[in-house]
Amino acid sequence: MCLIKIRGIEKTYNEGMEVAITVLHEIDLNIEAGEFVSIMGPSGSGKSTLMHILGFLDLPTRGTYEFEGVDITNFSENKLADIRNEKIGFVFQAFHLLPRTTAIENVILPLIYAGVSESQQMEKAKKSLEMVGLGDRLNHTPAQLSGGQQQRVSIARALVNEPQVIFADEPTGNLDMGSSYEIMEILKELNNQGKTIIMVTHEDEIASYSKRIIWLRDGAIEKDKQNKKK
């Protein structure tokens, strides 16, 4: 099933600038449900901008976007936020954990926003942390966890609402290689379980975990190939 279909996507920034800057040019892209896609390219190629548009964190200047066969191009911010909260989980390079809050409290946060009952919050958050191997670290704060463990908490938080798509923006960028491999094995297993994974990375070794690699250059798709290693 085609999960994401974008056509003619452009993104131009001109607010407060003397000269408008276009960072994405006429992007056409289909992503099927269950794919594991890496988006690569040099600094400034538009990788994160494309991911933010795909994940409803930013709006394109031009073009159309269909999600699950529905044209969402002209949806309101609130309606896009509803889709984001129900269907999508995000993992970022910087973890974005609340520092004085335990692992399980960090994971519970999306459930509070989603209006999940208190009786279910603890059960769902605990299950999510157990899925990433942190069932024995529920009450540890970020300062009591390694970088790899903090990223696993952020993955658990991304999973807790049972999203269809995980967006991972440089998920191993702040980690040593050992922790990076652990995180990638988790993402690989989630993909094996049916989750769609869309990841931005600049590292070939990390991208090798994905099944498809898209290269951007100067805001346009330069290459789009299946990863033959998979």
Side-chain angles (χ1 to χ4, degrees):
M1 181 187 84
C2 185
L3 180 72
I4 288 171
K5 178 181 177 181
I6 60 174
R7 291 291 180 270
I9 291 291
E10 292 188 3
K11 182 64 180 180
T12 300
Y13 295 100
N14 52 21
E15 191 173 333
M17 298 178 181
E18 290 184 14
V19 179
I21 298 174
T22 300
V23 295
L24 293 177
H25 302 269
E26 294 288 333
I27 300 285
D28 295 341
L29 183 63
N30 286 6
I31 295 177
E32 300 290 318
E35 283 201 271
F36 190 159
V37 180
S38 283
I39 301 172
M40 302 189 74
S43 179
S45 60
K47 302 186 299 294
S48 291
T49 301
L50 177 57
M51 170 171 279
H52 290 166
I53 289 172
L54 294 177
F56 315 118
L57 293 175
D58 199 358
L59 297 172
T61 307
R62 291 183 58 193
T64 60
Y65 187 166
E66 290 182 16
F67 185 82
E68 294 184 317
V70 177
D71 187 345
I72 62 162
T73 307
N74 296 312
F75 276 20
S76 68
E77 292 273 5
N78 286 341
K79 200 159 185 181
L80 289 174
D82 289 340
I83 299 173
R84 191 166 61 235
N85 292 336
E86 292 172 11
K87 308 272 189 178
I88 290 172
F90 293 95
V91 179
F92 297 100
Q93 178 177 346
F95 314 145
H96 295 316
L97 302 178
L98 298 178
R100 295 193 178 98
T101 304
T102 64
I104 197 160
E105 288 168 339
N106 268 287
V107 173
I108 280 172
L109 281 174
L111 298 174
I112 296 173
Y113 297 138
V116 175
S117 66
E118 286 189 27
S119 60
Q120 288 186 298
Q121 287 173 12
M122 189 66 70
E123 179 184 345
K124 283 178 172 285
K126 184 179 178 183
K127 180 182 176 183
S128 191
L129 282 162
E130 287 172 348
M131 284 178 65
V132 298
L134 290 179
D136 59 344
R137 296 287 191 273
L138 305 183
N139 297 310
H140 287 59
T141 63
Q144 296 170 317
L145 299 171
S146 68
Q149 289 171 331
Q150 290 181 59
Q151 190 61 295
R152 281 195 264 166
V153 173
S154 73
I155 292 173
R157 183 181 57 194
L159 290 171
V160 75
N161 274 333
E162 300 178 25
Q164 292 173 251
V165 190
I166 300 287
F167 286 95
D169 195 352
E170 298 281 6
T172 63
N174 285 338
L175 304 178
D176 59 45
M177 288 312 298
S179 298
S180 296
Y181 294 145
E182 290 177 3
I183 294 303
M184 293 312 302
E185 287 295 336
I186 291 171
L187 293 177
K188 181 179 175 182
E189 178 56 29
L190 290 171
N191 179 243
N192 289 340
Q193 293 170 13
K195 300 288 185 190
T196 304
I197 311 287
I198 302 173
M199 176 177 70
V200 163
T201 183
H202 66 277
E203 299 180 64
D204 291 335
E205 204 162 352
I206 297 303
S208 71
Y209 280 83
S210 60
K211 298 173 182 174
R212 177 182 173 195
I213 302 175
I214 297 167
W215 285 267
L216 293 186
R217 185 175 295 278
D218 298 327
I221 294 177
E222 183 179 53
K223 287 186 287 184
D224 182 351
K225 294 184 177 181
Q226 296 297 316
N227 184 5
K228 294 180 180 179
K229 295 180 182 178
K230 292 291 132 183

